[in-house]
Amino acid sequence: MNGVKELILSFASSRKEFSTDELWDWISQDGDIVRNTVNITLSRLVSKGEIMRVSRGVYAMAKGKSIFRAVLEDREIQVAEILRNKYPFAPFCIYNGKSLVPLQHHLSENNVTYVETDRSAMEAVFNTLKDAGYEVWLNPSEDITYKYIDLRKPVIIVKPLVTEAPTEKINDINVPTIEKLLVDIKKDEDFAYLQGSEAQRMWEIGESLYNINQSRLKRYAKRRGLSYNSAV
């Protein structure tokens, strides 16, 4: 596997981007390498952040960009445990508002725990967390968020989880990918304080610092009712 890894990295470093077929055509000249081995090694390099996926079947060298990871603190882990026990079959995406900090140009404190789930489960989740002693808000509008919610405090916002939203697991908890966050700040009412020039700047920072899966980004933007151009 190490030999295949070096071959892939060598090929990637000589090109701006490449397809899996182009990679295989080049590597297969060796004659002793199985294509499945190449595919597995390529996937591992993507997971490690050494290679980035540009679009479906197209890759590029990561060029020193980092892999974005959403923030989970003790409160989010505790909330996830409560909800997992109470609603074992419900989907959840949970993260702390501090996840936004690395993307921000003008820093604004956000200590909110965001809990996203099916619309049909939102009210039950809201009541469960409220009964557990948390300060909880149910899918607040822009006006409610602005007037009544202090984002600096450890409150919880329960909001709808869009089906097929791009998430990943940290500590066995579903959290948003960077593609999901970048689109959500353009769309969600509780993120209205970020929208406009700040959201655009966050997008630019995200592009410069982190690996962005462009096909995932376009797909989720379309699902949220945003054209790719309006999202960026």
Side-chain angles (χ1 to χ4, degrees):
M1 286 282 191
N2 286 337
V4 174
K5 172 184 174 180
E6 296 307 319
L7 286 172
I8 293 174
L9 291 175
S10 175
F11 183 79
S13 66
S14 67
R15 288 161 173 78
K16 182 178 179 180
E17 59 185 43
F18 61 92
S19 70
T20 51
D21 287 340
E22 290 171 338
L23 174 64
W24 174 244
D25 287 344
W26 183 74
I27 287 184
S28 62
Q29 296 175 24
D30 187 291
D32 296 323
I33 299 173
V34 178
R35 183 156 187 167
N36 189 50
T37 301
V38 175
N39 292 339
I40 291 172
T41 306
L42 180 61
S43 294
R44 289 178 178 173
L45 289 170
V46 171
S47 297
K48 292 179 179 178
E50 296 180 63
I51 296 291
M52 61 183 291
R53 186 179 286 107
V54 177
S55 60
R56 186 176 179 84
V58 179
Y59 300 82
M61 202 74 179
K63 299 178 182 178
K65 291 187 178 181
S66 302
I67 296 177
F68 178 84
R69 288 289 182 265
V71 174
L72 288 176
E73 296 191 336
D74 289 344
R75 186 170 70 255
E76 287 75 47
I77 294 171
Q78 292 165 3
V79 165
E81 185 66 19
I82 291 171
L83 297 178
R84 186 183 293 123
N85 291 334
K86 184 76 172 180
Y87 308 101
F89 302 110
F92 291 101
C93 178
I94 300 172
Y95 63 102
N96 188 285
K98 293 176 184 176
S99 303
L100 302 170
V101 169
L103 301 172
Q104 289 187 270
H105 178 57
H106 299 292
L107 295 182
S108 53
E109 191 172 355
N110 186 326
N111 194 30
V112 173
T113 294
Y114 292 93
V115 176
E116 301 180 16
T117 189
D118 278 346
R119 285 187 179 276
S120 60
M122 283 169 47
E123 188 169 353
V125 168
F126 167 80
N127 289 327
T128 294
L129 295 175
K130 188 174 181 180
D131 290 344
Y134 294 102
E135 180 182 345
V136 194
W137 295 85
L138 180 59
N139 199 23
S141 64
E142 175 183 350
D143 188 55
I144 293 296
T145 303
Y146 178 76
K147 289 181 178 179
Y148 302 110
I149 303 178
D150 187 346
L151 300 180
R152 298 169 298 178
K153 293 184 178 180
V155 302
I156 297 175
I157 288 179
V158 177
K159 54 198 285 191
L161 176 62
V162 177
T163 56
E164 298 182 25
T167 63
E168 58 187 352
K169 285 188 179 293
I170 296 179
N171 295 334
D172 204 33
I173 299 171
N174 278 330
V175 299
T177 63
I178 188 170
E179 296 86 3
K180 175 173 166 28
L181 280 182
L182 288 175
V183 172
D184 286 349
I185 63 173
K186 292 271 190 175
K187 188 71 176 180
D188 293 357
E189 288 197 46
D190 55 288
F191 287 144
Y193 73 100
L194 296 171
Q195 291 165 4
S197 60
E198 180 64 11
Q200 181 60 36
R201 180 60 176 155
M202 290 173 74
W203 190 282
E204 293 167 359
I205 291 172
E207 289 276 11
S208 66
L209 294 181
Y210 300 105
N211 295 329
I212 305 290
N213 185 318
Q214 296 294 333
S215 61
R216 178 191 293 166
L217 181 66
K218 292 177 183 179
R219 192 163 54 247
Y220 184 59
K222 182 178 179 181
R223 199 159 190 81
R224 295 293 328 257
L226 296 173
S227 69
Y228 183 65
N229 287 336
S230 71
V232 299

